[in-house]
Amino acid sequence: IEKVVNKMDGIEAATVNLTTESAALSFQPGVVSVDDVIGKIQKLGYDAKVKETREEKASHKEEEIKEKKTKLFISILLSLPLLYSMVGHAPWDLGIPMPSFIMNPWFQFILATPVQFYVGWQFYVGAYKSLRNKSANMDVLVALGTSAAYFYSVVEALRTLGNPQYMPHLYFETSAVLITLILVGKLFESLAKGRTTEAISKLLNLQAKEATVIRNGIETKVPIEQVVVNDIIIVKPGEKIPVDGEVVAGRSSIDESMITGESIPVDKTEGDRVIGATINKNGTVQMKATKVGKDTALASIIRVVEEAQGSKAPIQRMADIISGYFVPIVVGIALVTFLVWIMVVAPGDVPQAIEVAIAVLVIACPCALGLATPTSIMVGTGKGAENGILFKGGEHLEIAHKIEAIVLDKTGTITKGKPVVTDFEADNTEVLAYLYTAEKSSEHPLAEAIVEYGKEKQAKELAIDHFEAIPGHGIEARIEGKDVLAGTRKLMNKHQVDFHSYNEKLETFEKEGKTAMMIAIEGQL
């Protein structure tokens, strides 16, 4: 398909991916149309349509896997007695009972025929299409190898009709078992594709499903697809930011860990950029949509993963070239083997010569070149996406084994992913009660960590008269008649609290990558 479509007038580039069952085209609309391309593909004996939505594709995938499972079940059921018959050919007596009907050529014929022509029909279709377009693929080998074994067995069975004493050489089990094994491979391949698509679905599920938009002064909930650039959107605490945009009113801290790996939410105020699918932690904000639909950061990430699964790694491009020559060479080797056997090794022994020729075809046919390479790239990028590692293309996945060092710029990427209290130093036990009470009123992520720590230490909750959060500084509170401050150096300087004797300790904590906070009660650190 790729070769033929690339030769069409007006086509700038066409890449076809077997594993994702899709083609990407760039073309000149005035010169060639999508219908022309589809018509050309249909002439080749295949079919194509404009890419469907993910939901439609998922339901088709399910049907396809269901059909493959059914065919595999039928194939296994019919092949098992044939596999059992192979015990009768063992060179020594295994003492396993072998009913005479299992060795009957016509009984084996009845079992093998549905496997060959109902279950294995897809290989004949694939081989026909391939040969009609003057190329040879893996289906040609499968069809040749299994047909040789099957039809030779049919001829042998017919010879028993005129001569009941004749001992036929039957290879029905070879064709049936081979088709069954290849079907197992095909099913695994489909399931691998499915798992990879799941990774993309998980990324899609990060998106908000709807947004609260202000239109004509009225708040309306609309599906995410209906948000347009410059819409004003209200995002309440706990909600996801629906699309990429800019804060126009309000203030909040936003958990951007899905994009940056930074565990501590980032304070956002008027004029700050926000990213779709990140989580608004505490304040209500109004934002203006700047990028929607396929232009958002998350959509770009999804596109990168999809393209990576569709991109051909250098090894796969090599496999594509080799497999073009591989099939004719294998067929040639099988013919040479047949001739050598019948003329030199076992002159005149046709069954023996056919047997070794079939062996050559059969061993070469479920070829790793055509199956394993694209599947492994697909599973690799899918597994990576599940674990939050995105590959930009097949070649990057291929050279990943050469990595010697990984540099991470965010500690949250490799730690717990949320802040926790590691050290607490105070002159007396009451300090924790005051701190715990004050921080309980705050929605800041560091406050959450302190409250958790307070619960662990069973800190007492006191009566609070006043509370105020000062963004970028910390908090001020009045608890049981005492002024309590918790926060940064800026806050302490503002209230003229002397903390210089603690400077060395603060710096030690900060050098360890910790966020140091100070507590003052009644102006005393």
Side-chain angles (χ1 to χ4, degrees):
I1 294 171
E2 200 173 276
K3 282 176 195 162
V4 172
V5 173
N6 268 316
K7 285 177 189 163
M8 291 174 72
D9 289 337
I11 296 285
E12 287 160 4
T15 55
V16 175
N17 189 296
L18 185 71
T19 37
T20 53
E21 292 160 356
S22 62
L25 305 177
S26 56
F27 59 94
Q28 296 159 2
V31 186
V32 68
S33 71
V34 175
D35 290 340
D36 295 338
V37 176
I38 290 174
K40 192 76 172 171
I41 292 169
Q42 284 167 339
K43 268 189 191 162
L44 290 173
Y46 297 95
D47 200 5
K49 59 173 182 279
V50 176
K51 204 168 180 183
E52 53 203 358
T53 66
R54 283 188 182 87
E55 289 76 18
E56 288 170 333
K57 197 169 180 191
S59 73
H60 285 162
K61 263 274 163 279
E62 274 172 37
E63 282 168 32
E64 187 193 312
I65 288 173
K66 203 172 169 186
E67 190 190 338
K68 279 185 177 161
K69 281 181 176 171
T70 308
K71 281 189 173 175
L72 180 61
F73 177 71
I74 294 166
S75 197
I76 290 172
L77 211 62
L78 297 172
S79 301
L80 277 175
L82 293 169
L83 195 60
Y84 186 72
S85 77
M86 291 174 79
V87 176
H89 299 296
W92 54 88
D93 185 15
L94 296 170
I96 295 170
M98 184 59 65
S100 58
F101 72 88
I102 283 185
M103 301 306 278
N104 184 301
W106 299 110
F107 174 72
Q108 291 194 13
F109 170 79
I110 289 165
L111 292 176
T113 304
V115 177
Q116 188 70 32
F117 297 108
Y118 167 64
V119 178
W121 186 246
Q122 65 196 69
F123 301 115
Y124 285 108
V125 172
Y128 166 70
K129 286 175 180 173
S130 180
L131 292 170
R132 197 176 75 176
N133 292 298
K134 299 181 183 65
S135 70
N137 63 3
M138 297 306 143
D139 290 340
V140 174
L141 281 184
V142 178
L144 263 176
T146 58
S147 299
Y150 175 83
F151 288 111
Y152 180 76
S153 304
V154 171
V155 170
E156 285 288 283
L158 290 169
R159 287 178 74 175
T160 61
L161 292 177
N163 180 6
Q165 303 309 310
Y166 179 69
M167 286 298 289
H169 294 269
L170 302 174
Y171 297 103
F172 285 121
E173 78 286 344
T174 305
S175 61
V177 170
L178 187 73
I179 286 171
T180 306
L181 288 175
I182 295 170
L183 281 190
V184 171
K186 294 262 186 204
L187 179 65
F188 282 162
E189 185 193 7
S190 291
L191 293 171
K193 288 180 192 175
R195 273 202 300 277
T196 313
T197 329
E198 265 171 46
I200 291 178
S201 305
K202 281 181 188 166
L203 283 173
L204 279 169
N205 289 338
L206 292 173
Q207 279 175 324
K209 301 288 177 277
E210 49 187 17
T212 308
V213 179
I214 301 174
R215 286 183 184 159
N216 305 323
I218 301 163
E219 282 185 32
T220 342
K221 267 201 184 303
V222 298
I224 192 82
E225 295 79 18
Q226 290 177 22
V227 175
V228 293
V229 173
N230 292 330
D231 263 346
I232 300 295
I233 302 164
I234 294 177
V235 188
K236 292 178 180 151
E239 289 183 346
K240 285 180 180 175
I241 304 287
V243 292
D244 295 4
E246 190 182 297
V247 176
V248 289
R251 151 192 298 280
S252 181
S253 60
I254 290 175
D255 179 354
E256 294 187 340
S257 57
M258 63 148 287
I259 293 281
T260 62
E262 183 56 80
S263 53
I264 296 175
V266 184
D267 288 332
K268 298 282 181 182
T269 182
E270 219 171 294
D272 288 340
R273 278 181 60 236
V274 287
I275 304 164
T278 55
I279 298 162
N280 183 21
K281 294 294 277 186
N282 41 43
T284 297
V285 291
Q286 283 189 23
M287 60 169 281
K288 182 170 80 173
T290 55
K291 287 181 180 173
V292 298
K294 64 181 191 325
D295 298 323
T296 63
L298 184 65
S300 305
I301 291 172
I302 292 165
R303 197 160 53 246
V304 164
V305 176
E306 283 183 324
E307 281 169 8
Q309 289 178 341
S311 72
K312 289 187 176 178
I315 193 163
Q316 194 181 337
R317 285 195 285 271
M318 191 171 79
D320 287 350
I321 295 163
I322 294 171
S323 59
Y325 299 104
F326 182 83
V327 179
I329 289 170
V330 169
V331 173
I333 293 171
L335 281 171
V336 170
T337 309
F338 176 79
L339 295 169
V340 168
W341 234 260
I342 205 157
M343 291 173 179
V344 183
V345 181
D349 191 343
V350 179
Q352 180 76 35
I354 285 181
E355 193 175 326
V356 289
I358 289 170
V360 172
L361 290 173
V362 161
I363 284 166
C365 77
C367 176
L369 282 175
L371 253 178
T373 315
T375 307
S376 59
I377 287 166
M378 196 153 188
V379 176
T381 49
K383 270 282 170 225
E386 273 176 37
N387 292 295
I389 301 164
L390 305 179
F391 289 97
K392 213 169 180 183
E395 61 188 294
H396 307 103
L397 177 68
E398 191 180 313
I399 58 167
H401 70 95
K402 293 180 179 173
I403 290 171
E404 288 173 4
I406 297 176
V407 182
L408 300 156
D409 69 332
K410 293 279 189 287
T411 52
T413 325
I414 49 167
T415 56
K416 283 196 164 61
K418 60 175 188 180
V420 288
V421 174
T422 58
D423 307 81
F424 178 70
E425 297 194 13
D427 300 338
N428 60 55
T429 49
E430 276 179 34
V431 177
L432 185 58
Y434 280 100
L435 179 65
Y436 172 66
T437 305
E439 296 288 10
K440 259 200 119 172
S441 303
S442 171
E443 292 169 319
H444 195 279
L446 294 181
E448 286 173 24
I450 292 166
V451 170
E452 278 302 308
Y453 180 76
K455 282 180 187 164
E456 258 174 57
K457 299 290 178 195
Q458 294 169 335
K460 198 170 139 197
E461 193 175 344
L462 309 170
I464 188 163
D465 309 318
H466 163 78
F467 171 84
E468 189 186 350
I470 298 135
H473 287 66
I475 57 165
E476 294 175 14
R478 191 156 180 78
I479 298 166
E480 296 196 339
K482 290 182 179 177
D483 287 324
V484 177
L485 304 171
T488 61
R489 290 175 175 82
K490 285 184 204 165
L491 184 72
M492 297 302 155
N493 282 330
K494 183 184 160 191
H495 289 272
Q496 288 150 1
V497 175
D498 181 27
F499 59 84
H500 291 94
S501 56
Y502 284 92
N503 258 342
E504 207 174 303
K505 186 145 271 185
L506 286 170
E507 281 169 17
T508 306
F509 282 138
E510 285 166 350
K511 277 177 187 162
E512 290 170 6
K514 295 171 181 174
T515 304
M517 275 173 64
M518 292 176 275
I519 308 121
I521 300 172
E522 291 287 275
Q524 231 4 74
L525 201 78

